[in-house]
Amino acid sequence: MTTTETDAEYTNIEDTGLGKKAGGPVQWLDDRLGLATISKKQVRKVFPEHWSFMLGEIALWSFVVLLLTGVFLTLWFQPTMTEVMYDGSYAPLKGVEMSAAYASTLDISFDIRGGLLIRQIHHWAAALFVAAMILHMLRVFFTGAYRKPREINWLIGVGLLSLGLVEGFAGYSLPDDLLSGTGLRFVDGLLRSIPLVGSYLEYFMFGGEFPGDVIIPRLYMAHILLVPAILLGLIGAHMLLLVYHKHTQWPGPGHTEKNVVGYPMMPVYAAKAGGFFFVVFGFTALMGALLQINPIWAYGPYNPSEVTAGSQPDWYMGFSEGAVRLMPDLEFNLLNYTWSMNVFIPAVGAMGLLFTVLGVWPFVEQWMTGDKKEHHLLERPRNAPTRTALGVAGMTAYAVLWMAGGNDIIATRLHLDIFMITRTLQIAFFVFPVIAYHVTKRICIGLQRQDANRILHGYETGVIERSPDGGFSERHAPLDPVRQYALTTHERLPELTAPAETDKNGVAAPNGRKAKIQAWVRKRYYHGVLDKPTTEDVHHANEHMAHIDGHPVELGDEFQGVSETGIPRVH
Ligand code: HEM
Ligand code: HEM
């Protein structure tokens, strides 16, 4: 590096106001770490604006809340299963034998100042963390934000989601009360259901037969160190890739596949994002202060011979519990062994399938569409009807499993027969997603037609006019050109031609069968994508509307025409 370059850097730093005053602390740090060069670029980094981009931030900030409150809990929590006699201030359990883990969680709740509040904030933040992650993932899915070049960030996201579930489960297993033991018993059953290696896995995890006396310290190590460290590393990589790729944006005038329109990192975005941390912290603190969550004192210590009636896992594990409850009996004898699939298929299968499907989806979609282009503009869900319909079908299947996880609660609260509920949900698991798929696709097609209609015929003004012959009609006015532009920016339907069976010399095309299958799949994928109006159609319609009843309507000159290629034309 030459001196001139370095001098140039400092000139710029002076310009941005960073590192002023030679010899000041900022200059001292910069001489040693070169931070100004990095920050100079990052302070100008632009972030686009949309409410849905907030969901990733909620996940981020609730994770920070979990770290902060988690550290407080480690000060008091005792991760051991050594039996002690409870002698705290919760009178109903005084003198009861329990593990030190349970006793210390009771102490956090009743005897440590602010302990119950922090425990409740930690638990609410965990519920919010997973919810925000899932909503954020749905936003990324339904807008196609995972397309090239963001596939790796999607995969990191899938890793974050699966680890988030493990972390939450490990957390609510720590207090060693009756409810957390019931959850661990479920995992024990799940491990044992794995053919051939199940009982070895159980011995490995529990250090012998369930429940043993090592599971709490082991979960503790995973919960406060191992998993948070991996989560932290993955979140760091997620954010770095986000900065490297730049954030996607919604189509609009001036928004192209090659730029980002929004606010710079400093000072606007940093202030907004930083402020948002306090909103998330405030919100979880309010929930922790006002809404009771996991009242461990109500269940008593864990005892493998007892179960709690109506015990429920935290909301994000409900789907796996539901899958087990819906599974019909499936067991057979082979080679002198009983092979029980009742738990293995639904629990291991449901989770394995969910994460596999999520992980491979961007690549499967790329294969289906044959689209190898980079995408930085988001897609409206209606303009990708098959993706949207598949997403809604998946959400429906998940919702049915989730409901099934509470089949006993539904039965007791609504006074219904549990077998009837289970049978209904078994059928619903297969039928509802198919219905959801078709209904969603029709809605997407309807919305695309509505868009085309609004582009070509304007919006309904609510002004009813009477013609000289007595008929009534509603006056339509042209859409705002900015809106008109945004509505026509998406890509045109690609040509879906069948692959040629032979080349021009009459020789059978290589990979003919593969190409045929791909062409068929592509056609299915693009089914429901309507062709959008052409630039000529739009100009024609605008001119027509501008002269309705001799009331010329000003069109403004921002409107540049329909993008034919998906890349908007801007001045
Ligand atoms: C994504 C991150 C995390 C999630 C989802 C999570 C979730 C949970 C949940 C649901 C509980 C049960 C709370 C209850 O008793 O009602 C819990 C307990 C606990 N967590 Fe976390 N946690 C996370 C990170 C951390 C971190 C980073 C630490 C420590 C540095 C920590 C320390 C603890 C401790 C000590 C307990 C046991 C005390 C208790 O149950 O009150 N957690 N966690
Ligand atoms: C700990 C959990 C997570 C955190 C803290 C996190 C954080 C963020 C943030 C702050 C953004 C930018 C703002 C936004 O678009 O919302 C983002 C973008 C992104 N996230 Fe996540 N995320 C997490 C989990 C996930 C998951 C579960 C997925 C998908 C499976 C995912 C996939 C993506 C992708 C593809 C982008 C780029 C989107 C774009 O540029 O439009 N993330 N993430």
Coordinates of all heavy atoms in Angstrom, one line a residue, residues 178-218:
L178 N -42.2 -31.0 36.6 CA -43.0 -32.1 36.0 C -43.2 -31.9 34.5 O -43.1 -32.8 33.7 CB -44.3 -32.3 36.7 CG -45.1 -33.5 36.4 CD1 -44.2 -34.8 36.6 CD2 -46.3 -33.6 37.2
L179 N -43.4 -30.7 34.1 CA -43.7 -30.4 32.6 C -42.4 -30.6 31.8 O -42.5 -31.2 30.7 CB -44.2 -28.9 32.5 CG -44.6 -28.5 31.1 CD1 -45.8 -29.4 30.7 CD2 -45.0 -27.1 31.1
S180 N -41.3 -30.1 32.3 CA -40.1 -30.3 31.5 C -39.6 -31.7 31.4 O -39.2 -32.2 30.4 CB -38.9 -29.3 32.0 OG -38.5 -29.7 33.2
G181 N -39.9 -32.5 32.5 CA -39.6 -33.9 32.4 C -40.5 -34.6 31.4 O -40.0 -35.5 30.7
T182 N -41.7 -34.2 31.3 CA -42.6 -34.8 30.4 C -42.1 -34.6 29.0 O -42.2 -35.5 28.1 CB -44.1 -34.2 30.5 OG1 -44.4 -34.3 31.9 CG2 -45.1 -35.0 29.7
G183 N -41.6 -33.4 28.7 CA -41.0 -33.1 27.4 C -39.8 -33.9 27.1 O -39.6 -34.5 26.0
L184 N -39.0 -34.1 28.1 CA -37.8 -35.0 27.9 C -38.2 -36.4 27.7 O -37.5 -37.1 26.9 CB -36.9 -34.9 29.2 CG -36.0 -33.7 29.2 CD1 -35.3 -33.6 30.6 CD2 -35.0 -33.7 28.1
R185 N -39.3 -36.9 28.4 CA -39.7 -38.2 28.2 C -40.1 -38.4 26.7 O -39.9 -39.5 26.1 CB -40.9 -38.5 29.1 CG -41.4 -39.9 29.1 CD -40.3 -40.8 29.3 NE -40.7 -42.0 30.1 CZ -39.9 -43.0 30.3 NH1 -38.7 -43.1 29.8 NH2 -40.3 -44.1 31.1
F186 N -40.7 -37.4 26.1 CA -41.1 -37.4 24.7 C -39.9 -37.6 23.8 O -39.8 -38.4 22.9 CB -41.8 -36.1 24.4 CG -42.3 -36.0 22.9 CD1 -43.4 -36.6 22.5 CD2 -41.5 -35.2 22.0 CE1 -43.8 -36.4 21.1 CE2 -41.9 -35.1 20.7 CZ -43.0 -35.7 20.2
V187 N -38.8 -36.8 24.1 CA -37.6 -36.9 23.3 C -36.9 -38.3 23.5 O -36.4 -38.9 22.6 CB -36.6 -35.8 23.7 CG1 -35.2 -36.1 23.2 CG2 -37.1 -34.5 23.2
D188 N -37.1 -38.8 24.8 CA -36.5 -40.2 25.0 C -37.2 -41.2 24.1 O -36.6 -42.0 23.5 CB -36.7 -40.5 26.5 CG -36.3 -41.9 26.9 OD1 -35.2 -42.2 26.5 OD2 -37.1 -42.6 27.5
G189 N -38.6 -41.1 24.1 CA -39.3 -42.0 23.2 C -38.9 -41.9 21.8 O -38.8 -42.9 21.0
L190 N -38.7 -40.6 21.4 CA -38.3 -40.3 20.0 C -37.0 -41.0 19.6 O -36.8 -41.6 18.6 CB -38.3 -38.8 19.9 CG -38.2 -38.1 18.5 CD1 -38.9 -36.8 18.7 CD2 -36.8 -37.9 18.2
L191 N -36.0 -40.9 20.6 CA -34.7 -41.5 20.3 C -34.8 -43.0 20.2 O -34.3 -43.6 19.4 CB -33.8 -41.1 21.5 CG -33.2 -39.8 21.5 CD1 -32.3 -39.6 22.8 CD2 -32.3 -39.5 20.3
R192 N -35.6 -43.5 21.2 CA -35.7 -45.0 21.2 C -36.5 -45.6 20.0 O -36.3 -46.7 19.7 CB -36.5 -45.4 22.5 CG -35.6 -45.3 23.7 CD -35.9 -46.4 24.7 NE -36.8 -45.8 25.7 CZ -37.4 -46.6 26.7 NH1 -37.2 -47.9 26.7 NH2 -38.1 -46.0 27.6
S193 N -37.3 -44.7 19.3 CA -38.0 -45.2 18.2 C -37.1 -45.4 17.0 O -37.5 -46.0 16.0 CB -39.1 -44.2 17.9 OG -38.6 -43.1 17.2
I194 N -35.9 -44.9 17.0 CA -35.0 -45.0 15.8 C -34.5 -46.5 15.7 O -34.0 -47.0 16.7 CB -33.8 -44.0 16.0 CG1 -34.3 -42.6 16.0 CG2 -32.9 -44.2 14.8 CD1 -33.3 -41.6 16.3
P195 N -34.9 -47.1 14.6 CA -34.5 -48.5 14.5 C -33.0 -48.8 14.8 O -32.2 -48.0 14.4 CB -34.9 -48.9 13.1 CG -35.9 -47.9 12.7 CD -35.5 -46.6 13.4
L196 N -32.7 -49.9 15.3 CA -31.4 -50.5 15.6 C -30.6 -49.7 16.6 O -30.1 -50.3 17.5 CB -30.6 -50.6 14.3 CG -31.2 -51.5 13.2 CD1 -30.3 -51.4 11.9 CD2 -31.3 -52.9 13.7
V197 N -30.5 -48.4 16.4 CA -29.6 -47.6 17.3 C -30.3 -46.9 18.5 O -29.6 -46.3 19.3 CB -28.7 -46.6 16.5 CG1 -27.8 -47.3 15.6 CG2 -29.6 -45.6 15.8
G198 N -31.6 -47.0 18.5 CA -32.4 -46.1 19.4 C -32.0 -46.3 20.8 O -31.7 -45.3 21.5
S199 N -31.9 -47.5 21.4 CA -31.6 -47.7 22.8 C -30.2 -47.2 23.1 O -29.9 -46.7 24.2 CB -31.9 -49.1 23.3 OG -31.5 -50.0 22.3
Y200 N -29.3 -47.4 22.1 CA -27.9 -46.9 22.4 C -27.9 -45.4 22.5 O -27.2 -44.8 23.3 CB -27.0 -47.4 21.2 CG -26.8 -48.9 21.2 CD1 -27.6 -49.6 20.2 CD2 -26.0 -49.6 22.1 CE1 -27.4 -51.0 20.2 CE2 -25.9 -50.9 22.0 CZ -26.6 -51.6 21.1 OH -26.5 -53.0 21.0
L201 N -28.7 -44.8 21.6 CA -28.7 -43.3 21.6 C -29.3 -42.8 22.9 O -28.8 -41.9 23.5 CB -29.6 -42.8 20.5 CG -29.0 -42.8 19.1 CD1 -30.0 -42.3 18.0 CD2 -27.7 -41.9 19.1
E202 N -30.3 -43.5 23.4 CA -30.9 -43.2 24.7 C -29.8 -43.2 25.8 O -29.6 -42.3 26.6 CB -32.1 -44.1 25.1 CG -32.7 -43.7 26.4 CD -33.5 -44.8 27.0 OE1 -33.2 -46.0 26.8 OE2 -34.4 -44.5 27.8
Y203 N -29.1 -44.4 25.8 CA -28.0 -44.5 26.8 C -27.0 -43.5 26.7 O -26.5 -43.0 27.7 CB -27.4 -45.9 26.7 CG -28.0 -47.0 27.6 CD1 -29.4 -47.2 27.5 CD2 -27.3 -47.7 28.5 CE1 -30.0 -48.1 28.3 CE2 -27.9 -48.6 29.3 CZ -29.3 -48.8 29.2 OH -29.9 -49.7 30.0
F204 N -26.7 -43.1 25.5 CA -25.6 -42.1 25.2 C -26.1 -40.7 25.8 O -25.4 -40.0 26.5 CB -25.3 -42.0 23.7 CG -24.3 -41.0 23.4 CD1 -23.0 -41.2 23.8 CD2 -24.7 -39.9 22.6 CE1 -22.1 -40.2 23.4 CE2 -23.8 -39.0 22.3 CZ -22.4 -39.1 22.7
M205 N -27.3 -40.4 25.4 CA -27.8 -39.0 25.8 C -28.1 -38.9 27.3 O -27.7 -37.9 27.9 CB -29.1 -38.7 25.0 CG -29.5 -37.3 25.2 SD -30.6 -36.7 23.9 CE -31.5 -35.4 24.8
F206 N -28.7 -39.9 27.9 CA -29.1 -39.8 29.3 C -28.1 -40.4 30.2 O -28.3 -40.5 31.4 CB -30.5 -40.4 29.5 CG -31.6 -39.7 28.8 CD1 -32.0 -40.0 27.5 CD2 -32.2 -38.6 29.5 CE1 -33.0 -39.2 26.9 CE2 -33.2 -37.9 28.9 CZ -33.6 -38.2 27.6
G207 N -27.0 -40.9 29.7 CA -25.9 -41.6 30.5 C -26.5 -42.8 31.2 O -26.2 -43.0 32.4
G208 N -27.3 -43.6 30.5 CA -28.0 -44.7 31.1 C -29.4 -44.7 30.8 O -29.8 -44.0 29.9
E209 N -30.2 -45.3 31.7 CA -31.7 -45.3 31.4 C -32.3 -44.0 31.7 O -31.8 -43.3 32.6 CB -32.4 -46.4 32.2 CG -32.2 -47.7 31.5 CD -33.4 -48.7 31.8 OE1 -34.5 -48.2 32.0 OE2 -33.2 -49.9 31.9
F210 N -33.4 -43.6 31.1 CA -34.1 -42.4 31.4 C -34.6 -42.4 32.8 O -35.1 -43.4 33.2 CB -35.3 -42.3 30.4 CG -36.1 -41.0 30.6 CD1 -35.8 -39.8 30.0 CD2 -37.2 -41.1 31.5 CE1 -36.5 -38.7 30.3 CE2 -38.0 -39.9 31.7 CZ -37.6 -38.8 31.1
P211 N -34.6 -41.4 33.6 CA -34.0 -40.1 33.2 C -32.5 -39.9 33.6 O -31.9 -39.0 33.2 CB -34.9 -39.1 34.1 CG -35.3 -39.9 35.3 CD -35.3 -41.3 34.9
G212 N -32.0 -40.8 34.4 CA -30.6 -40.7 34.8 C -30.3 -39.4 35.7 O -31.3 -38.8 36.1
D213 N -29.1 -39.1 35.8 CA -28.8 -37.9 36.6 C -27.8 -36.9 35.9 O -27.2 -36.1 36.5 CB -28.4 -38.2 38.0 CG -27.2 -39.1 38.1 OD1 -26.6 -39.4 37.0 OD2 -26.9 -39.6 39.2
V214 N -27.7 -37.1 34.6 CA -26.7 -36.2 33.9 C -27.4 -35.3 32.8 O -26.7 -34.4 32.3 CB -25.6 -37.0 33.2 CG1 -24.8 -37.8 34.2 CG2 -26.2 -38.0 32.1
I215 N -28.7 -35.6 32.6 CA -29.3 -34.9 31.4 C -29.3 -33.4 31.6 O -29.1 -32.6 30.7 CB -30.6 -35.5 31.0 CG1 -31.2 -34.9 29.8 CG2 -31.7 -35.3 32.1 CD1 -30.4 -35.2 28.5
I216 N -29.6 -32.9 32.9 CA -29.7 -31.5 33.1 C -28.4 -30.8 32.9 O -28.3 -29.8 32.1 CB -30.4 -31.2 34.5 CG1 -31.8 -31.7 34.6 CG2 -30.3 -29.7 34.8 CD1 -32.8 -31.1 33.7
P217 N -27.3 -31.3 33.5 CA -26.0 -30.6 33.3 C -25.6 -30.6 31.8 O -25.1 -29.7 31.3 CB -25.0 -31.4 34.1 CG -25.7 -32.4 34.9 CD -27.2 -32.3 34.6
R218 N -25.9 -31.7 31.1 CA -25.6 -31.8 29.7 C -26.4 -30.8 28.9 O -25.9 -30.1 28.0 CB -25.9 -33.2 29.1 CG -24.8 -34.1 29.6 CD -25.0 -35.5 29.0 NE -24.0 -36.4 29.4 CZ -23.9 -37.7 29.1 NH1 -24.8 -38.2 28.3 NH2 -22.9 -38.4 29.6

